[in-house]
C-alpha cells in the first residue's frame, strides 16, 4: 500500500466536523466509504493543505442510506475540486490504480489485504488525524442474508 495516497476525508455532520479515511486512486479522485460522504462541506486533507471536494458517487441506496449485501455497497468517490476563491492549490497528478471487486458469490479468502484509516479512538486534540492500520484477509461470502 502506498501510504502517501492515504488522505483524511473531512465533512460536517450535525454541525460537527468529522473525519474519515480516503485513498487517492488517481489524480483528483478519492475512494472512500459511502458513510464518509454523508454531510456537507466536503474537504480532503493533502500534504500541502486542505482542498474542497464534491461527492461524485454515493454507493448507498437513496431510500435507506444503509448498505447491505442485498442493497448496495458502502463505497463513495470524491473529486477534489480546489476552490480558487480560497486560493487552494491545484491537485498534483497521480497515475490511476488498478481496482477490483471481490466476488461474494463463492466462499474463500482474499489474502494480503491492507487498509488504513482515521478512527475516532486514535484522534487527540493535538493530532486529530492519526491513522490505524489493519491487515489480513477478507471473507468473501460472509454477511450474506437469506430473504424471501
Amino acid at each position: 500500500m502506498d501510504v502517501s495516497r492515504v488522505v483524511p476525508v473531512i465533512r460536517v455532520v450535525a454541525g460537527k466536523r468529522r473525519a474519515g479515511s480516503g485513498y487517492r486512486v488517481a489524480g483528483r479522485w478519492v475512494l472512500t466509504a459511502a458513510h464518509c460522504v454523508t454531510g456537507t462541506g466536503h474537504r480532503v486533507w493533502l500534504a500541502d493543505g486542505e482542498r474542497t471536494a464534491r461527492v461524485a458517487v454515493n454507493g448507498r441506496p437513496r431510500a435507506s442510506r444503509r448498505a447491505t449485501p442485498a442493497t448496495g455497497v458502502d463505497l463513495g468517490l470524491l473529486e477534489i475540486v480546489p476552490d480558487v476563491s480560497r486560493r487552494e492549490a491545484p491537485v498534483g497528478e497521480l497515475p490511476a490504480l488498478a481496482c477490483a471487486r471481490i466476488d461474494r458469490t463463492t466462499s474463500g479468502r482474499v489474502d494480503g489485504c491492507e487498509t488504513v484509516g482515521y478512527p475516532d479512538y486514535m484522534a487527540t486534540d493535538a493530532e486529530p488525524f492519526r491513522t490505524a492500520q489493519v491487515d489480513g484477509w477478507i471473507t468473501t461470502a460472509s454477511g450474506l442474508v437469506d430473504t424471501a
Side-chain angles (χ1 to χ4, degrees):
M1 174 185 294
D2 180 355
V3 296
S4 70
R5 291 178 178 254
V6 177
V7 294
V9 171
I10 305 156
R11 78 261 189 225
V12 176
V13 178
K16 185 176 179 181
R17 191 169 147 113
R18 305 279 311 210
S21 58
Y23 195 74
R24 289 182 66 193
V25 292
R28 66 184 188 272
W29 298 100
V30 177
L31 183 65
T32 187
H35 68 265
C36 291
V37 299
T38 59
T40 60
H42 294 86
R43 315 272 297 155
V44 172
W45 184 331
L46 302 179
D48 62 345
E50 286 186 22
R51 305 290 196 289
T52 302
R54 75 169 189 87
V55 177
V57 175
N58 182 344
R60 290 185 178 186
R62 291 191 186 278
S64 69
R65 291 293 185 215
R66 293 183 62 187
T68 67
T71 61
V73 294
D74 190 18
L75 287 177
L77 186 68
L78 293 173
E79 180 184 15
I80 303 170
V81 286
D83 185 340
V84 293
S85 68
R86 295 174 131 177
R87 297 188 173 157
E88 294 176 358
V91 178
E93 282 301 315
L94 284 177
L97 297 174
C99 295
R101 181 175 181 188
I102 296 172
D103 179 5
R104 293 188 46 149
T105 61
T106 60
S107 64
R109 291 167 58 143
V110 179
D111 292 316
C113 299
E114 297 176 62
T115 184
V116 64
Y118 298 88
D120 287 341
Y121 71 85
M122 291 293 291
T124 66
D125 289 339
E127 296 173 321
F129 304 123
R130 293 183 68 196
T131 60
Q133 180 179 342
V134 230
D135 61 9
W137 55 274
I138 297 173
T139 54
T140 55
S142 180
L144 302 175
V145 179
D146 282 334
T147 63

